[in-house]
Amino acid sequence: MEIKKSELKVLFTEEQIQTRIAELADELNDLYGNDEVIAICVLKGAVMFAVDLVKNLKMPLKMEFIRLSSYGTGTVSTGKVHAVDISLPDLNDKNVLIIEDIIDTGHTAKFLLDFINNNFKTKSTKFCSLLDKKISRVSDIEPDYYGFDIDDKFVVGYGLDYEGYYRNLRYIGYKPNV
Ligand code: 5GP
Ligand code: MG
């Protein structure tokens, strides 16, 4: 499959995304109150979501960035997760908030949660994903918070890429089956 920008249909507009992020932030502000949070952005895909989400969070917060990759090229999950850079500070006794773009098979989420659980005894660990593609799930992983459910589509935009492109779109789109 090849994806051209002119073929993209909008799935979520910039306004829908920002409205939903504000709602998620309200829930997280209620959850944590004034407790400190370590927000972990999973690069590259979650970059836009993480930036917009944390701007709406009110508690004392530190941002960390790790880089995992599961999709090689194309649009089909390899199922293999590769830690490109998973250097993290001491997370013992911290409230950890993982910020992801999408949970698809769940392999990436499981890999990361196992890594954190095996290395740290956190105060709490929550997983927040902008998108949840439940239909593709292989691991028994559910996000604690998510923005939107999507069906079996390969989506791009707002951080999500196709062969490295389209991360800079303000909306989330997909190529319809024609
Ligand atoms: P999982 O390990 O859950 O199968 O996949 C998670 C990663 O695959 C996501 O963080 C994301 O980078 C990538 N991914 C999964 N579904 C899509 C999709 O529809 N579009 C894009 N661009 N990336 C996806
Ligand atoms: Mg990702």
Side-chain angles (χ1 to χ4, degrees):
M1 181 170 74
E2 203 202 330
I3 303 179
K4 297 200 185 94
K5 193 169 175 185
S6 58
E7 302 169 326
L8 288 177
K9 292 267 173 286
V10 176
L11 187 60
F12 301 112
T13 64
E14 179 178 15
E15 194 190 350
Q16 284 176 307
I17 294 168
Q18 296 303 330
T19 300
R20 187 69 188 112
I21 288 175
E23 291 170 359
L24 285 172
D26 285 346
E27 286 190 63
L28 293 167
N29 284 323
D30 285 347
L31 174 74
Y32 293 115
N34 204 35
D35 283 1
E36 182 169 316
V37 168
I38 311 288
I40 301 178
C41 168
V42 184
L43 295 172
K44 301 174 185 172
V47 62
M48 305 292 180
F49 176 45
V51 164
D52 285 340
L53 183 68
V54 299
K55 283 191 276 186
N56 287 284
L57 296 180
K58 298 182 175 139
M59 71 292 296
L61 179 142
K62 290 184 180 177
M63 283 185 91
E64 295 295 333
F65 299 86
I66 61 171
R67 193 162 154 211
L68 303 179
S69 102
S70 70
Y71 273 61
T73 53
T75 60
V76 181
S77 178
T78 59
K80 292 201 184 73
V81 182
H82 170 57
V84 181
D85 174 5
I86 200 164
S87 47
L88 284 165
D90 182 2
L91 299 177
N92 287 309
D93 212 28
K94 304 288 188 193
N95 293 307
V96 172
L97 176 66
I98 300 166
I99 307 178
E100 248 291 32
D101 51 358
I102 183 167
I103 306 189
D104 183 22
T105 62
H107 286 126
T108 305
K110 180 155 181 15
F111 175 91
L112 183 51
L113 287 167
D114 286 350
F115 179 86
I116 288 174
N117 289 330
N118 290 337
N119 288 281
F120 306 104
K121 183 125 190 53
T122 65
K123 186 170 174 190
S124 68
T125 306
K126 299 287 181 196
F127 203 104
C128 180
S129 181
L130 180 61
L131 303 175
D132 187 359
K133 205 192 282 185
K134 291 195 172 68
I135 196 160
S136 316
R137 198 76 93 255
V138 176
S139 299
D140 58 344
I141 291 280
E142 295 301 327
D144 299 290
Y145 296 89
Y146 67 92
F148 303 100
D149 274 312
I150 66 167
D151 58 18
D152 192 14
K153 286 183 173 65
F154 184 81
V155 294
V156 298
Y158 196 67
L160 291 139
D161 75 305
Y162 169 68
E163 298 196 342
Y165 295 102
Y166 305 132
R167 294 192 197 275
N168 57 318
L169 301 180
R170 290 169 179 264
Y171 60 89
I172 292 173
Y174 68 102
K175 177 178 171 174
N177 293 323
V178 276

